[in-house]
Amino acid sequence: MLAPPPTAAAASRIPPLPPEAFEAWLRGEGALRYDDEHPFHARMQDGGLTRDEIRAWVRNRYYFQTRLAVADALVVAKAEDSAFRRAWLRRVVEHDGDVDGDGALAAWRRLGLAVGLDEGELARHDAVLPGVRFACDAYVELVRRATLAEAVATSLTEVFAPKVLARCIAAWETHYAWVPSEALLPFWLRLRVAGRDGAEALAFVRGAATTYEAQARCVAALVDRCEIAWHLLDCVQAASRVDTPPSPALALHAA
Amino acid sequence: MLAPPPTAAAASRIPPLPPEAFEAWLRGEGALRYDDEHPFHARMQDGGLTRDEIRAWVRNRYYFQTRLAVADALVVAKAEDSAFRRAWLRRVVEHDGDVDGDGALAAWRRLGLAVGLDEGELARHDAVLPGVRFACDAYVELVRRATLAEAVATSLTEVFAPKVLARCIAAWETHYAWVPSEALLPFWLRLRVAGRDGAEALAFVRGAATTYEAQARCVAALVDRCEIAWHLLDCVQAASRVDTPPSPALALHAA
Protein backbone atom coordinates (compact mmCIF):
# COMPACT_ATOMS: atom_id res chain seq x y z
CA MET A 1 0.00 0.00 0.00
CA LEU A 2 1.46 3.39 -0.93
CA ALA A 3 -0.41 5.41 1.69
CA PRO A 4 -1.33 3.81 5.03
CA PRO A 5 -5.01 4.12 5.97
CA PRO A 6 -5.70 7.20 8.11
CA THR A 7 -6.66 5.08 11.14
CA ALA A 8 -3.15 3.53 11.28
CA ALA A 9 -1.50 6.93 11.00
CA ALA A 10 -3.74 8.28 13.75
CA ALA A 11 -3.05 5.25 15.95
CA SER A 12 0.68 5.88 15.83
CA ARG A 13 0.13 9.32 17.46
CA ILE A 14 -1.94 8.03 20.40
CA PRO A 15 -0.02 7.21 23.59
CA PRO A 16 -0.33 3.61 24.84
CA LEU A 17 -3.22 2.86 27.21
CA PRO A 18 -2.28 2.08 30.81
CA PRO A 19 -2.20 -1.75 31.24
CA GLU A 20 -5.48 -1.77 33.22
CA ALA A 21 -7.32 0.16 30.50
CA PHE A 22 -5.80 -2.09 27.80
CA GLU A 23 -6.95 -5.17 29.73
CA ALA A 24 -10.44 -3.71 30.10
CA TRP A 25 -10.54 -3.10 26.32
CA LEU A 26 -9.54 -6.70 25.60
CA ARG A 27 -12.04 -8.05 28.15
CA GLY A 28 -14.83 -5.86 26.81
CA GLU A 29 -14.38 -6.92 23.19
CA GLY A 30 -13.87 -10.56 24.13
CA ALA A 31 -16.93 -10.73 26.38
CA LEU A 32 -19.11 -9.06 23.75
CA ARG A 33 -18.06 -11.36 20.93
CA TYR A 34 -17.55 -14.66 22.74
CA ASP A 35 -19.51 -17.34 20.95
CA ASP A 36 -21.56 -18.40 23.96
CA GLU A 37 -23.90 -15.58 22.91
CA HIS A 38 -24.54 -17.27 19.56
CA PRO A 39 -28.12 -18.57 19.10
CA PHE A 40 -26.80 -22.04 18.26
CA HIS A 41 -24.80 -22.12 21.48
CA ALA A 42 -27.81 -20.89 23.42
CA ARG A 43 -29.85 -23.72 21.92
CA MET A 44 -27.15 -26.18 22.93
CA GLN A 45 -27.33 -24.89 26.51
CA ASP A 46 -31.11 -25.13 26.54
CA GLY A 47 -31.15 -28.72 25.32
CA GLY A 48 -32.70 -27.77 21.99
CA LEU A 49 -30.24 -29.50 19.66
CA THR A 50 -31.13 -32.70 17.83
CA ARG A 51 -28.66 -35.59 17.78
CA ASP A 52 -27.72 -34.65 14.22
CA GLU A 53 -27.02 -31.09 15.32
CA ILE A 54 -24.84 -32.34 18.19
CA ARG A 55 -22.95 -34.53 15.69
CA ALA A 56 -22.54 -31.60 13.28
CA TRP A 57 -21.20 -29.39 16.05
CA VAL A 58 -18.70 -32.01 17.30
CA ARG A 59 -17.53 -32.79 13.75
CA ASN A 60 -16.93 -29.13 12.90
CA ARG A 61 -15.59 -28.06 16.28
CA TYR A 62 -13.13 -30.97 16.23
CA TYR A 63 -11.67 -29.50 13.05
CA PHE A 64 -11.16 -26.22 14.91
CA GLN A 65 -9.44 -28.11 17.74
CA THR A 66 -6.96 -29.60 15.25
CA ARG A 67 -6.22 -26.09 13.93
CA LEU A 68 -5.70 -24.81 17.48
CA ALA A 69 -2.92 -27.40 17.91
CA VAL A 70 -1.19 -26.18 14.75
CA ALA A 71 -1.65 -22.55 15.82
CA ASP A 72 -0.17 -23.24 19.26
CA ALA A 73 2.91 -24.77 17.62
CA LEU A 74 3.20 -21.64 15.44
CA VAL A 75 3.12 -19.51 18.60
CA VAL A 76 5.99 -21.57 20.04
CA ALA A 77 7.91 -21.03 16.80
CA LYS A 78 7.46 -17.24 17.06
CA ALA A 79 9.10 -16.95 20.46
CA GLU A 80 12.81 -16.35 20.99
CA ASP A 81 12.69 -16.94 24.72
CA SER A 82 13.17 -20.40 26.26
CA ALA A 83 10.87 -19.75 29.22
CA PHE A 84 8.06 -18.60 26.93
CA ARG A 85 8.51 -21.55 24.56
CA ARG A 86 8.56 -23.98 27.47
CA ALA A 87 5.32 -22.52 28.85
CA TRP A 88 3.50 -22.50 25.51
CA LEU A 89 4.75 -25.96 24.51
CA ARG A 90 2.63 -27.27 27.38
CA ARG A 91 -0.42 -26.24 25.30
CA VAL A 92 0.72 -28.32 22.35
CA VAL A 93 1.25 -31.28 24.70
CA GLU A 94 -2.24 -30.74 26.11
CA HIS A 95 -3.63 -31.17 22.58
CA ASP A 96 -1.57 -34.24 21.74
CA GLY A 97 -0.84 -35.94 25.08
CA ASP A 98 2.36 -37.75 25.97
CA VAL A 99 1.31 -41.04 24.39
CA ASP A 100 -1.20 -42.13 21.74
CA GLY A 101 -4.77 -41.88 23.00
CA ASP A 102 -3.81 -39.23 25.54
CA GLY A 103 -4.50 -35.50 25.20
CA ALA A 104 -7.42 -33.32 24.23
CA LEU A 105 -7.55 -34.22 20.52
CA ALA A 106 -7.87 -37.94 21.31
CA ALA A 107 -10.57 -37.06 23.86
CA TRP A 108 -12.39 -35.07 21.14
CA ARG A 109 -12.22 -38.09 18.82
CA ARG A 110 -13.70 -40.27 21.56
CA LEU A 111 -16.48 -37.70 21.98
CA GLY A 112 -16.99 -37.90 18.21
CA LEU A 113 -17.37 -41.69 18.36
CA ALA A 114 -19.69 -41.40 21.37
CA VAL A 115 -22.09 -39.12 19.46
CA GLY A 116 -22.06 -41.42 16.44
CA LEU A 117 -19.37 -40.11 14.10
CA ASP A 118 -16.93 -42.58 12.62
CA GLU A 119 -13.18 -42.69 13.00
CA GLY A 120 -12.35 -42.35 9.30
CA GLU A 121 -14.50 -39.25 8.95
CA LEU A 122 -12.90 -37.67 12.03
CA ALA A 123 -9.43 -38.37 10.63
CA ARG A 124 -10.17 -37.06 7.13
CA HIS A 125 -12.40 -34.11 8.12
CA ASP A 126 -14.23 -34.70 4.87
CA ALA A 127 -17.64 -33.72 6.16
CA VAL A 128 -16.46 -30.46 7.70
CA LEU A 129 -18.54 -27.60 6.26
CA PRO A 130 -16.65 -25.44 3.72
CA GLY A 131 -17.32 -22.25 5.66
CA VAL A 132 -15.95 -23.86 8.81
CA ARG A 133 -12.85 -24.93 6.92
CA PHE A 134 -12.30 -21.38 5.63
CA ALA A 135 -12.77 -19.89 9.10
CA CYS A 136 -10.56 -22.39 10.93
CA ASP A 137 -7.85 -22.21 8.28
CA ALA A 138 -8.06 -18.42 8.57
CA TYR A 139 -7.21 -18.85 12.26
CA VAL A 140 -3.97 -20.64 11.40
CA GLU A 141 -3.10 -17.92 8.87
CA LEU A 142 -3.96 -15.19 11.37
CA VAL A 143 -1.55 -16.72 13.90
CA ARG A 144 1.09 -17.38 11.23
CA ARG A 145 1.19 -13.70 10.22
CA ALA A 146 0.69 -12.19 13.67
CA THR A 147 3.33 -10.79 15.97
CA LEU A 148 3.88 -12.88 19.09
CA ALA A 149 1.74 -10.51 21.18
CA GLU A 150 -1.11 -10.62 18.64
CA ALA A 151 -0.89 -14.41 18.36
CA VAL A 152 -1.11 -14.74 22.15
CA ALA A 153 -4.02 -12.26 22.18
CA THR A 154 -6.03 -14.61 19.95
CA SER A 155 -5.97 -17.10 22.83
CA LEU A 156 -7.61 -14.69 25.27
CA THR A 157 -10.97 -16.37 24.71
CA GLU A 158 -9.70 -18.68 27.48
CA VAL A 159 -10.30 -15.84 29.93
CA PHE A 160 -14.03 -16.29 29.34
CA ALA A 161 -14.03 -20.06 28.89
CA PRO A 162 -14.23 -21.42 32.46
CA LYS A 163 -17.71 -20.08 33.22
CA VAL A 164 -19.03 -21.18 29.83
CA LEU A 165 -17.46 -24.65 30.08
CA ALA A 166 -18.94 -25.30 33.51
CA ARG A 167 -22.41 -24.38 32.19
CA CYS A 168 -21.78 -26.46 29.07
CA ILE A 169 -20.91 -29.61 31.04
CA ALA A 170 -24.02 -29.20 33.18
CA ALA A 171 -26.18 -28.70 30.06
CA TRP A 172 -24.82 -31.84 28.37
CA GLU A 173 -25.26 -33.95 31.53
CA THR A 174 -28.87 -32.74 31.78
CA HIS A 175 -30.11 -32.49 28.20
CA TYR A 176 -27.97 -34.91 26.21
CA ALA A 177 -27.84 -37.84 28.62
CA TRP A 178 -27.57 -40.16 25.60
CA VAL A 179 -23.92 -39.04 25.48
CA PRO A 180 -22.02 -40.95 28.20
CA SER A 181 -20.56 -38.73 30.92
CA GLU A 182 -17.00 -39.93 30.32
CA ALA A 183 -17.22 -38.71 26.69
CA LEU A 184 -17.37 -35.15 28.02
CA LEU A 185 -13.66 -35.34 28.89
CA PRO A 186 -12.66 -32.65 26.33
CA PHE A 187 -14.72 -30.08 28.26
CA TRP A 188 -13.21 -31.16 31.59
CA LEU A 189 -9.68 -31.07 30.21
CA ARG A 190 -10.18 -27.56 28.93
CA LEU A 191 -11.91 -26.44 32.11
CA ARG A 192 -8.85 -27.63 34.06
CA VAL A 193 -6.44 -25.35 32.13
CA ALA A 194 -8.49 -22.49 30.66
CA GLY A 195 -8.30 -20.24 33.70
CA ARG A 196 -4.54 -20.62 34.01
CA ASP A 197 -4.01 -20.28 30.22
CA GLY A 198 -6.17 -17.18 30.04
CA ALA A 199 -4.44 -15.44 32.95
CA GLU A 200 -0.98 -16.30 31.61
CA ALA A 201 -1.83 -15.01 28.13
CA LEU A 202 -3.40 -11.83 29.50
CA ALA A 203 -0.31 -11.04 31.59
CA PHE A 204 1.92 -11.59 28.56
CA VAL A 205 -0.15 -9.44 26.19
CA ARG A 206 -0.41 -6.62 28.76
CA GLY A 207 3.37 -6.51 29.00
CA ALA A 208 4.23 -7.10 25.36
CA ALA A 209 2.02 -4.50 23.63
CA THR A 210 3.78 -1.28 24.57
CA THR A 211 2.39 1.12 21.94
CA TYR A 212 -1.21 2.07 21.28
CA GLU A 213 -0.92 0.64 17.78
CA ALA A 214 0.32 -2.71 19.12
CA GLN A 215 -2.50 -2.71 21.67
CA ALA A 216 -5.09 -2.00 18.97
CA ARG A 217 -3.67 -4.81 16.85
CA CYS A 218 -3.94 -7.24 19.77
CA VAL A 219 -7.58 -6.29 20.23
CA ALA A 220 -8.16 -6.73 16.48
CA ALA A 221 -6.53 -10.19 16.60
CA LEU A 222 -8.80 -11.23 19.48
CA VAL A 223 -11.82 -9.91 17.57
CA ASP A 224 -10.77 -11.99 14.54
CA ARG A 225 -10.52 -15.11 16.69
CA CYS A 226 -13.99 -14.45 18.12
CA GLU A 227 -15.44 -13.91 14.64
CA ILE A 228 -13.96 -17.23 13.53
CA ALA A 229 -15.56 -19.15 16.42
CA TRP A 230 -18.82 -17.27 15.81
CA HIS A 231 -18.79 -18.07 12.12
CA LEU A 232 -18.24 -21.76 12.89
CA LEU A 233 -21.59 -21.72 14.72
CA ASP A 234 -23.22 -19.68 11.92
CA CYS A 235 -22.26 -22.42 9.47
CA VAL A 236 -23.35 -25.32 11.66
CA GLN A 237 -26.64 -23.55 12.31
CA ALA A 238 -27.25 -22.77 8.64
CA ALA A 239 -26.52 -26.36 7.59
CA SER A 240 -29.02 -27.71 10.11
CA ARG A 241 -31.91 -25.58 8.84
CA VAL A 242 -34.34 -27.46 6.69
CA ASP A 243 -35.20 -24.28 4.80
CA THR A 244 -31.62 -23.73 3.58
CA PRO A 245 -30.81 -26.05 0.68
CA PRO A 246 -27.22 -27.19 1.27
CA SER A 247 -24.64 -26.58 -1.43
CA PRO A 248 -24.56 -29.50 -3.87
CA ALA A 249 -20.82 -29.35 -3.22
CA LEU A 250 -21.39 -30.16 0.44
CA ALA A 251 -23.27 -33.33 -0.32
CA LEU A 252 -20.50 -34.55 -2.60
CA HIS A 253 -17.79 -33.46 -0.22
CA ALA A 254 -19.39 -35.60 2.47
CA ALA A 255 -19.95 -38.58 0.16
CA MET B 1 1.49 -37.04 8.37
CA LEU B 2 3.27 -40.37 8.84
CA ALA B 3 0.96 -42.45 6.65
CA PRO B 4 -0.70 -40.85 3.62
CA PRO B 5 -4.48 -41.32 3.49
CA PRO B 6 -5.51 -44.41 1.49
CA THR B 7 -7.13 -42.31 -1.23
CA ALA B 8 -3.81 -40.61 -2.09
CA ALA B 9 -1.99 -43.96 -2.18
CA ALA B 10 -4.71 -45.41 -4.41
CA ALA B 11 -4.64 -42.34 -6.69
CA SER B 12 -0.94 -42.81 -7.39
CA ARG B 13 -1.69 -46.28 -8.85
CA ILE B 14 -4.44 -45.10 -11.24
CA PRO B 15 -3.33 -44.24 -14.78
CA PRO B 16 -4.08 -40.67 -15.94
CA LEU B 17 -7.44 -40.06 -17.57
CA PRO B 18 -7.38 -39.26 -21.29
CA PRO B 19 -7.56 -35.45 -21.71
CA GLU B 20 -11.20 -35.56 -22.89
CA ALA B 21 -12.28 -37.54 -19.82
CA PHE B 22 -10.30 -35.21 -17.55
CA GLU B 23 -11.99 -32.20 -19.16
CA ALA B 24 -15.40 -33.82 -18.73
CA TRP B 25 -14.62 -34.40 -15.03
CA LEU B 26 -13.64 -30.75 -14.56
CA ARG B 27 -16.69 -29.53 -16.46
CA GLY B 28 -19.01 -31.83 -14.52
CA GLU B 29 -17.79 -30.72 -11.11
CA GLY B 30 -17.68 -27.07 -12.12
CA ALA B 31 -21.17 -27.03 -13.62
CA LEU B 32 -22.62 -28.78 -10.56
CA ARG B 33 -21.05 -26.43 -8.05
CA TYR B 34 -21.09 -23.11 -9.91
CA ASP B 35 -22.73 -20.50 -7.73
CA ASP B 36 -25.44 -19.55 -10.20
CA GLU B 37 -27.36 -22.47 -8.64
CA HIS B 38 -27.30 -20.77 -5.23
CA PRO B 39 -30.75 -19.63 -3.96
CA PHE B 40 -29.42 -16.09 -3.44
CA HIS B 41 -28.21 -15.95 -7.03
CA ALA B 42 -31.50 -17.34 -8.23
CA ARG B 43 -33.28 -14.58 -6.31
CA MET B 44 -30.99 -12.01 -7.89
CA GLN B 45 -31.92 -13.34 -11.33
CA ASP B 46 -35.62 -13.27 -10.51
CA GLY B 47 -35.53 -9.67 -9.29
CA GLY B 48 -36.25 -10.65 -5.69
CA LEU B 49 -33.41 -8.80 -3.98
CA THR B 50 -34.00 -5.63 -1.99
CA ARG B 51 -31.71 -2.64 -2.49
CA ASP B 52 -29.94 -3.52 0.75
CA GLU B 53 -29.35 -7.05 -0.48
CA ILE B 54 -27.94 -5.72 -3.77
CA ARG B 55 -25.64 -3.45 -1.76
CA ALA B 56 -24.55 -6.33 0.49
CA TRP B 57 -23.77 -8.50 -2.51
CA VAL B 58 -21.74 -5.79 -4.30
CA ARG B 59 -19.82 -4.94 -1.11
CA ASN B 60 -18.88 -8.55 -0.41
CA ARG B 61 -18.32 -9.59 -4.01
CA TYR B 62 -16.04 -6.58 -4.52
CA TYR B 63 -13.83 -7.96 -1.75
CA PHE B 64 -13.62 -11.23 -3.70
CA GLN B 65 -12.67 -9.29 -6.85
CA THR B 66 -9.77 -7.67 -4.99
CA ARG B 67 -8.59 -11.15 -3.87
CA LEU B 68 -8.82 -12.42 -7.45
CA ALA B 69 -6.33 -9.73 -8.51
CA VAL B 70 -3.88 -10.86 -5.81
CA ALA B 71 -4.41 -14.51 -6.78
CA ASP B 72 -3.78 -13.78 -10.46
CA ALA B 73 -0.50 -12.10 -9.55
CA LEU B 74 0.43 -15.21 -7.52
CA VAL B 75 -0.26 -17.36 -10.57
CA VAL B 76 2.10 -15.19 -12.63
CA ALA B 77 4.74 -15.64 -9.90
CA LYS B 78 4.41 -19.44 -10.07
CA ALA B 79 5.22 -19.67 -13.75
CA GLU B 80 8.75 -20.13 -15.14
CA ASP B 81 7.75 -19.56 -18.73
CA SER B 82 7.72 -16.09 -20.34
CA ALA B 83 4.84 -16.86 -22.68
CA PHE B 84 2.67 -18.12 -19.82
CA ARG B 85 3.53 -15.14 -17.60
CA ARG B 86 2.80 -12.72 -20.43
CA ALA B 87 -0.59 -14.33 -21.05
CA TRP B 88 -1.61 -14.40 -17.39
CA LEU B 89 -0.32 -10.90 -16.68
CA ARG B 90 -3.08 -9.70 -18.98
CA ARG B 91 -5.53 -10.83 -16.28
CA VAL B 92 -3.83 -8.67 -13.65
CA VAL B 93 -3.99 -5.72 -16.06
CA GLU B 94 -7.67 -6.42 -16.63
CA HIS B 95 -8.25 -6.01 -12.88
CA ASP B 96 -6.17 -2.86 -12.53
CA GLY B 97 -6.30 -1.14 -15.91
CA ASP B 98 -3.46 0.79 -17.50
CA VAL B 99 -4.27 4.04 -15.74
CA ASP B 100 -6.16 5.05 -12.59
CA GLY B 101 -9.90 4.62 -12.98
CA ASP B 102 -9.43 2.02 -15.69
CA GLY B 103 -9.86 -1.75 -15.22
CA ALA B 104 -12.39 -4.04 -13.61
CA LEU B 105 -11.70 -3.11 -9.97
CA ALA B 106 -12.37 0.57 -10.67
CA ALA B 107 -15.53 -0.44 -12.52
CA TRP B 108 -16.61 -2.49 -9.47
CA ARG B 109 -16.04 0.54 -7.25
CA ARG B 110 -18.20 2.66 -9.56
CA LEU B 111 -20.89 -0.04 -9.34
CA GLY B 112 -20.54 0.16 -5.56
CA LEU B 113 -21.11 3.93 -5.61
CA ALA B 114 -24.02 3.52 -8.02
CA VAL B 115 -25.83 1.16 -5.62
CA GLY B 116 -25.23 3.48 -2.68
CA LEU B 117 -22.02 2.31 -1.01
CA ASP B 118 -19.41 4.89 -0.11
CA GLU B 119 -15.87 5.15 -1.32
CA GLY B 120 -14.20 4.86 2.09
CA GLU B 121 -16.07 1.68 2.91
CA LEU B 122 -15.16 0.17 -0.46
CA ALA B 123 -11.49 1.00 0.11
CA ARG B 124 -11.35 -0.31 3.67
CA HIS B 125 -13.61 -3.38 3.22
CA ASP B 126 -14.68 -2.82 6.80
CA ALA B 127 -18.25 -3.96 6.32
CA VAL B 128 -17.32 -7.18 4.54
CA LEU B 129 -18.89 -10.12 6.41
CA PRO B 130 -16.38 -12.16 8.45
CA GLY B 131 -17.34 -15.41 6.70
CA VAL B 132 -16.80 -13.76 3.32
CA ARG B 133 -13.40 -12.55 4.47
CA PHE B 134 -12.42 -16.06 5.59
CA ALA B 135 -13.60 -17.60 2.31
CA CYS B 136 -11.97 -15.00 0.03
CA ASP B 137 -8.72 -15.06 2.00
CA ALA B 138 -8.84 -18.87 1.74
CA TYR B 139 -8.86 -18.41 -2.03
CA VAL B 140 -5.59 -16.48 -1.95
CA GLU B 141 -4.05 -19.15 0.31
CA LEU B 142 -5.33 -21.91 -1.94
CA VAL B 143 -3.63 -20.31 -4.94
CA ARG B 144 -0.49 -19.52 -2.94
CA ARG B 145 0.01 -23.18 -2.00
CA ALA B 146 -1.21 -24.74 -5.24
CA THR B 147 0.91 -26.05 -8.10
CA LEU B 148 0.65 -23.95 -11.25
CA ALA B 149 -1.81 -26.43 -12.80
CA GLU B 150 -4.02 -26.42 -9.67
CA ALA B 151 -3.91 -22.63 -9.44
CA VAL B 152 -4.99 -22.33 -13.08
CA ALA B 153 -7.71 -24.93 -12.45
CA THR B 154 -9.26 -22.65 -9.81
CA SER B 155 -9.97 -20.17 -12.63
CA LEU B 156 -12.03 -22.68 -14.64
CA THR B 157 -15.23 -21.13 -13.33
CA GLU B 158 -14.72 -18.79 -16.31
CA VAL B 159 -15.74 -21.68 -18.57
CA PHE B 160 -19.26 -21.37 -17.16
CA ALA B 161 -19.31 -17.62 -16.70
CA PRO B 162 -20.38 -16.27 -20.12
CA LYS B 163 -23.87 -17.78 -20.07
CA VAL B 164 -24.44 -16.71 -16.47
CA LEU B 165 -23.11 -13.19 -17.06
CA ALA B 166 -25.36 -12.62 -20.05
CA ARG B 167 -28.40 -13.68 -17.98
CA CYS B 168 -27.17 -11.55 -15.10
CA ILE B 169 -26.91 -8.37 -17.19
CA ALA B 170 -30.40 -8.94 -18.57
CA ALA B 171 -31.77 -9.50 -15.05
CA TRP B 172 -30.20 -6.29 -13.70
CA GLU B 173 -31.44 -4.25 -16.67
CA THR B 174 -34.95 -5.59 -16.09
CA HIS B 175 -35.33 -5.87 -12.32
CA TYR B 176 -32.91 -3.35 -10.86
CA ALA B 177 -33.45 -0.44 -13.22
CA TRP B 178 -32.61 1.93 -10.34
CA VAL B 179 -28.98 0.97 -11.06
CA PRO B 180 -27.83 2.93 -14.14
CA SER B 181 -26.93 0.76 -17.12
CA GLU B 182 -23.40 2.10 -17.34
CA ALA B 183 -22.73 0.92 -13.77
CA LEU B 184 -23.02 -2.66 -15.04
CA LEU B 185 -19.62 -2.32 -16.74
CA PRO B 186 -17.94 -4.96 -14.48
CA PHE B 187 -20.26 -7.62 -15.89
CA TRP B 188 -19.61 -6.50 -19.47
CA LEU B 189 -15.85 -6.42 -18.92
CA ARG B 190 -15.88 -9.96 -17.59
CA LEU B 191 -18.23 -11.16 -20.29
CA ARG B 192 -15.77 -9.86 -22.89
CA VAL B 193 -12.90 -12.03 -21.57
CA ALA B 194 -14.43 -14.96 -19.68
CA GLY B 195 -14.83 -17.25 -22.69
CA ARG B 196 -11.26 -16.69 -23.83
CA ASP B 197 -9.87 -16.98 -20.28
CA GLY B 198 -11.81 -20.17 -19.61
CA ALA B 199 -10.70 -21.86 -22.85
CA GLU B 200 -7.08 -20.85 -22.33
CA ALA B 201 -7.05 -22.15 -18.74
CA LEU B 202 -8.74 -25.39 -19.73
CA ALA B 203 -6.18 -26.09 -22.46
CA PHE B 204 -3.34 -25.41 -20.02
CA VAL B 205 -4.74 -27.63 -17.24
CA ARG B 206 -5.45 -30.47 -19.69
CA GLY B 207 -1.84 -30.42 -20.79
CA ALA B 208 -0.18 -29.78 -17.44
CA ALA B 209 -1.85 -32.44 -15.25
CA THR B 210 -0.22 -35.60 -16.58
CA THR B 211 -0.86 -38.04 -13.71
CA TYR B 212 -4.18 -39.13 -12.25
CA GLU B 213 -3.16 -37.68 -8.91
CA ALA B 214 -2.40 -34.28 -10.48
CA GLN B 215 -5.72 -34.41 -12.33
CA ALA B 216 -7.59 -35.20 -9.12
CA ARG B 217 -5.84 -32.32 -7.36
CA CYS B 218 -6.87 -29.92 -10.14
CA VAL B 219 -10.48 -31.03 -9.76
CA ALA B 220 -10.22 -30.57 -5.98
CA ALA B 221 -8.81 -27.05 -6.46
CA LEU B 222 -11.72 -26.14 -8.75
CA VAL B 223 -14.17 -27.57 -6.20
CA ASP B 224 -12.55 -25.44 -3.48
CA ARG B 225 -12.93 -22.33 -5.62
CA CYS B 226 -16.60 -23.13 -6.24
CA GLU B 227 -17.18 -23.71 -2.51
CA ILE B 228 -15.63 -20.32 -1.77
CA ALA B 229 -17.93 -18.50 -4.19
CA TRP B 230 -20.89 -20.50 -2.88
CA HIS B 231 -20.06 -19.67 0.71
CA LEU B 232 -19.86 -15.97 -0.14
CA LEU B 233 -23.52 -16.16 -1.16
CA ASP B 234 -24.38 -18.26 1.93
CA CYS B 235 -23.01 -15.47 4.10
CA VAL B 236 -24.71 -12.63 2.23
CA GLN B 237 -27.97 -14.54 2.33
CA ALA B 238 -27.70 -15.34 6.04
CA ALA B 239 -26.91 -11.72 6.90
CA SER B 240 -29.98 -10.49 5.02
CA ARG B 241 -32.42 -12.74 6.90
CA VAL B 242 -34.39 -10.97 9.54
CA ASP B 243 -34.69 -14.19 11.56
CA THR B 244 -30.92 -14.59 11.95
CA PRO B 245 -29.54 -12.24 14.61
CA PRO B 246 -26.24 -10.95 13.24
CA SER B 247 -23.09 -11.45 15.28
CA PRO B 248 -22.59 -8.50 17.65
CA ALA B 249 -19.10 -8.47 16.15
CA LEU B 250 -20.55 -7.74 12.72
CA ALA B 251 -22.42 -4.70 13.89
CA LEU B 252 -19.31 -3.26 15.49
CA HIS B 253 -17.15 -4.24 12.57
CA ALA B 254 -19.43 -2.24 10.30
CA ALA B 255 -19.63 0.73 12.67
Side-chain angles (χ1 to χ4, degrees):
Chain A
M1 203 175 324
L2 293 177
T7 45
S12 69
R13 287 193 302 267
I14 301 174
L17 297 177
E20 306 67 45
F22 176 37
E23 177 173 337
W25 192 13
L26 288 163
R27 283 181 180 273
E29 292 285 348
L32 178 68
R33 296 155 195 271
Y34 196 69
D35 62 349
D36 67 326
E37 299 290 332
H38 193 285
F40 189 86
H41 198 273
R43 259 201 314 132
M44 184 188 293
Q45 291 299 113
D46 296 343
L49 299 188
T50 64
R51 291 188 183 206
D52 274 346
E53 286 175 320
I54 288 283
R55 276 178 207 115
W57 179 74
V58 172
R59 172 193 296 129
N60 286 282
R61 176 75 202 198
Y62 173 61
Y63 184 63
F64 191 32
Q65 297 300 129
T66 68
R67 298 309 88 195
L68 288 169
V70 173
D72 278 328
L74 285 170
V75 173
V76 175
K78 270 178 206 296
E80 293 288 346
D81 173 59
S82 281
F84 181 95
R85 279 201 296 261
R86 208 179 294 129
W88 210 272
L89 204 64
R90 202 184 50 211
R91 299 184 189 218
V92 181
V93 174
E94 277 155 6
H95 291 297
D96 294 317
D98 286 317
V99 292
D100 255 11
D102 211 5
L105 287 174
W108 270 96
R109 285 193 296 276
R110 287 194 297 274
L111 172 60
L113 298 181
V115 302
L117 303 176
D118 79 75
E119 205 141 358
E121 174 199 324
L122 285 164
R124 290 188 310 268
H125 305 295
D126 50 8
V128 170
L129 293 164
V132 171
R133 210 156 22 89
F134 304 143
C136 296
D137 293 351
Y139 182 62
V140 174
E141 283 310 310
L142 168 65
V143 171
R144 195 190 304 281
R145 286 151 197 256
T147 64
L148 181 59
E150 289 158 24
V152 172
T154 68
S155 79
L156 288 175
T157 43
E158 296 315 276
V159 170
F160 311 99
K163 207 171 67 184
V164 176
L165 283 164
R167 279 209 312 267
C168 182
I169 291 169
W172 280 60
E173 298 272 14
T174 310
H175 301 300
Y176 311 106
W178 58 275
V179 184
S181 259
E182 64 270 23
L184 306 182
L185 184 62
F187 307 147
W188 287 106
L189 288 175
R190 192 166 158 222
L191 183 58
R192 193 162 55 96
V193 296
R196 180 204 66 196
D197 285 357
E200 194 180 73
L202 191 55
F204 180 82
V205 173
R206 275 180 60 148
T210 53
T211 67
Y212 178 80
E213 205 173 346
Q215 291 174 333
R217 285 180 181 277
C218 286
V219 172
L222 174 58
V223 167
D224 279 344
R225 155 68 180 268
C226 292
E227 287 182 342
I228 285 162
W230 190 279
H231 192 63
L232 189 157
L233 296 182
D234 278 347
C235 292
V236 173
Q237 174 170 270
S240 71
R241 283 181 178 198
V242 288
D243 63 337
T244 307
S247 150
L250 298 190
L252 283 175
H253 204 74
Chain B
M1 201 177 323
L2 294 177
T7 45
S12 69
R13 287 193 302 268
I14 302 173
L17 297 176
E20 305 69 43
F22 176 37
E23 177 174 335
W25 191 13
L26 288 162
R27 283 182 180 273
E29 292 284 348
L32 178 68
R33 296 156 195 271
Y34 195 70
D35 63 348
D36 67 326
E37 298 291 331
H38 193 286
F40 188 87
H41 199 272
R43 264 205 305 136
M44 184 188 292
Q45 291 300 111
D46 296 345
L49 298 187
T50 64
R51 291 189 182 206
D52 274 345
E53 285 175 321
I54 289 281
R55 274 177 209 117
W57 179 75
V58 172
R59 173 193 295 132
N60 286 281
R61 177 75 202 197
Y62 174 62
Y63 184 62
F64 191 33
Q65 296 301 129
T66 67
R67 297 310 86 197
L68 288 168
V70 173
D72 277 329
L74 285 170
V75 172
V76 175
K78 271 178 206 296
E80 293 287 346
D81 174 58
S82 280
F84 181 95
R85 279 201 296 261
R86 209 179 294 127
W88 209 272
L89 205 62
R90 201 185 50 211
R91 299 184 189 217
V92 181
V93 174
E94 276 153 9
H95 291 295
D96 295 317
D98 286 315
V99 293
D100 255 11
D102 210 4
L105 287 174
W108 270 96
R109 284 193 297 275
R110 287 195 296 273
L111 172 60
L113 297 180
V115 302
L117 303 176
D118 76 76
E119 206 141 359
E121 175 200 324
L122 285 164
R124 290 187 311 268
H125 304 296
D126 51 7
V128 169
L129 293 164
V132 170
R133 210 158 20 92
F134 305 143
C136 296
D137 293 350
Y139 182 63
V140 174
E141 284 309 311
L142 167 66
V143 170
R144 196 190 302 282
R145 287 151 197 254
T147 64
L148 181 58
E150 290 158 23
V152 172
T154 68
S155 79
L156 288 175
T157 43
E158 296 315 277
V159 170
F160 311 100
K163 207 170 66 184
V164 175
L165 283 164
R167 280 210 310 267
C168 183
I169 291 169
W172 281 60
E173 299 272 13
T174 311
H175 300 300
Y176 311 106
W178 58 275
V179 184
S181 259
E182 64 271 21
L184 306 182
L185 184 63
F187 307 147
W188 287 105
L189 288 176
R190 190 165 159 224
L191 183 58
R192 194 162 55 95
V193 295
R196 180 205 65 194
D197 285 357
E200 194 180 72
L202 192 54
F204 180 82
V205 173
R206 274 180 59 148
T210 53
T211 66
Y212 178 79
E213 206 173 345
Q215 292 174 333
R217 284 179 181 280
C218 286
V219 172
L222 174 58
V223 167
D224 279 345
R225 156 68 180 268
C226 291
E227 287 182 343
I228 286 162
W230 190 278
H231 192 62
L232 189 156
L233 296 182
D234 277 348
C235 293
V236 174
Q237 173 171 269
S240 70
R241 283 180 180 200
V242 287
D243 63 338
T244 307
S247 150
L250 300 190
L252 282 175
H253 203 74

